[in-house]
Amino acid sequence: MDFVKNFVINLIVFMLFALVLDMILPSNTFRKYTKLVVGLILVAILLTPIVKLFQQDFTFKLEEQLSAMSNQNKDIFVQKIENKKTEINHADRAYILEQMAVQLKKDAEGELMNKFQHAVVEVQIELKDMTKELKTENIQHIHVVLQKTSTGTVEKVEPVEISPGGAPKKESKKEGEIREWLEKRWGLKKQVVTTTIHT
């Protein structure tokens, strides 16, 4: 904008100068040469915007514009990467939890079968915080689903309590024994493991 303003001011000043010069010069052959020089200077002044235009560094201007655009796109791109990273971390955690459950199941299976005549059907692990490390301090709950295996002998039937209103099921003596054994075997705090026996 300043360039256009300067160009217009220079043009007006030169035209005034040429007009004053034309008035004070006498009419002779010298006047003809003066008009030629003034005309050439006027052409030079009119060509300055074009010359300035070609002197501009367009690659720099283009890079400047692209950089401004890329900064906006960069923020969006970084946000997308962070979202994908979070998704991948959650998927990894879920896979690791699944593998941990499989390992815990394998660890307890044989001895549980020999000692209590129960097989592990499923192990579900819940963490306190999915973003923290997978350590025993971060385990909120492990639920173990068990199934009694047939041994040919009939065990004593434990009393069943049915209460209205859907009160939580009390842990049977056998479930308590197995829960305590699993907590000890896996090195966990008390009441972290719950067991359910399917018949």
Side-chain angles (χ1 to χ4, degrees):
M1 205 64 182
D2 288 337
F3 174 71
V4 174
K5 185 174 151 186
N6 290 338
F7 170 71
V8 171
I9 290 170
N10 287 341
L11 189 61
I12 290 169
V13 168
F14 179 74
M15 294 299 276
L16 289 172
F17 173 73
L19 187 66
V20 170
L21 191 63
D22 189 43
M23 284 198 231
I24 57 173
L25 278 176
S27 16
N28 59 14
T29 54
F30 184 64
R31 186 179 186 142
K32 189 166 57 169
Y33 293 116
T34 308
K35 281 189 176 186
L36 177 68
V37 171
V38 168
L40 289 173
I41 293 173
L42 181 61
V43 169
I45 289 174
L46 292 174
L47 289 177
T48 54
I50 298 169
V51 172
K52 285 273 191 190
L53 190 66
F54 285 115
Q55 286 178 344
Q56 291 288 329
D57 188 6
F58 286 109
T59 55
F60 176 73
K61 295 271 187 195
L62 187 62
E63 285 174 4
E64 201 176 77
Q65 290 294 326
L66 286 174
S67 129
M69 284 173 52
S70 69
N71 282 341
Q72 293 170 351
N73 291 340
K74 183 180 175 184
D75 293 341
I76 294 168
F77 185 69
V78 166
Q79 185 61 40
K80 285 183 180 178
I81 287 175
E82 288 298 320
N83 291 344
K84 284 291 181 190
K85 185 178 167 186
T86 305
E87 281 180 37
I88 290 169
N89 282 343
H90 281 296
D92 280 350
R93 288 292 168 107
Y95 176 74
I96 291 168
L97 283 177
E98 194 176 308
Q99 292 305 311
M100 279 177 64
V102 168
Q103 289 300 321
L104 290 174
K105 181 180 175 183
K106 281 182 183 176
D107 179 57
E109 246 173 354
E111 207 171 328
L112 190 67
M113 184 76 80
N114 293 336
K115 198 168 188 169
F116 297 100
Q117 290 76 40
H118 282 76
V120 178
V121 176
E122 184 181 8
V123 177
Q124 299 167 347
I125 303 172
E126 288 179 37
L127 296 179
K128 293 175 186 170
D129 189 353
M130 282 293 279
T131 58
K132 290 187 179 173
E133 290 184 49
L134 297 172
K135 291 185 175 180
T136 53
E137 299 86 39
N138 195 23
I139 295 174
Q140 181 172 352
H141 186 79
I142 298 177
H143 184 73
V144 183
V145 180
L146 303 164
Q147 185 162 13
K148 184 169 176 26
T149 56
S150 59
T151 57
T153 60
V154 177
E155 282 191 17
K156 179 184 165 191
V157 177
E158 300 206 13
V160 177
E161 289 182 27
I162 301 174
S163 58
K169 178 186 155 248
K170 272 189 168 181
E171 181 180 67
S172 69
K173 185 179 176 188
K174 187 64 122 180
E175 286 173 339
E177 288 173 9
I178 294 172
R179 176 187 50 76
E180 287 174 5
W181 181 83
L182 287 172
E183 286 171 344
K184 196 174 190 180
R185 174 134 183 120
W186 292 335
L188 299 168
K189 294 185 288 186
K190 289 192 173 217
Q191 302 301 320
V192 170
V193 177
T194 56
T195 55
T196 305
I197 299 175
H198 286 282
T199 51

